Amino acid sequence: MTSVLRRLALPALLMTVLAGCGLTGPDTYELDEKHIQVDVGEEFTLSVPVATAMGEWWYLTSPEPDPDVVRNTDKREKIEADDDAVGSGSGTDYFDFKAVGPGTTKIRLIQCPQGACDDG
């Protein structure tokens, strides 16, 4: 193999190895997906729309998912302000989970005015 071919082969090999390293992140599911299936150890995200101008937010509610099947690992939000008006905007709430064991469970999310549903 000539030195030119070796120099071209190495970057191609590195790209192939990196492609299998989970660079895409966890799968994200939206409201229209009512049933999902994941493998034990897999991380996934539930994504729900937020309209801050309406004062409504999403919460994980009780009964909570079976902790032997899935665990909530994080909740985060991404809000984009609309027209520079205070309290306006829309975005997305993200609920991150990890499948920790075999089985089935329900994950219940509720949308309600901020502060009204904190306890589920």
Side-chain angles (χ1 to χ4, degrees), residues 6-91:
R6 275 189 224 137
R7 279 184 275 171
L8 292 176
L10 182 58
L13 178 60
L14 288 176
M15 287 174 45
T16 302
V17 170
L18 290 175
C21 290
L23 296 177
T24 59
D27 288 333
T28 300
Y29 302 95
E30 298 179 353
L31 284 176
D32 60 340
E33 298 172 274
K34 304 294 183 197
H35 302 279
I36 63 172
Q37 183 174 343
V38 296
D39 294 326
V40 173
E42 188 174 344
E43 295 178 350
F44 63 97
T45 300
L46 302 181
S47 163
V48 290
V50 173
T52 59
M54 300 301 291
E56 294 194 343
W57 300 89
W58 289 90
Y59 300 91
L60 182 63
T61 189
S62 59
E64 292 188 8
D66 183 342
D68 293 331
V69 176
V70 68
R71 295 227 174 95
N72 180 236
T73 59
D74 195 16
K75 179 188 177 188
R76 51 202 164 79
E77 59 188 38
K78 180 180 177 185
I79 304 295
E80 308 239 350
D82 295 335
D83 300 326
D84 297 325
V86 175
S88 71
S90 59

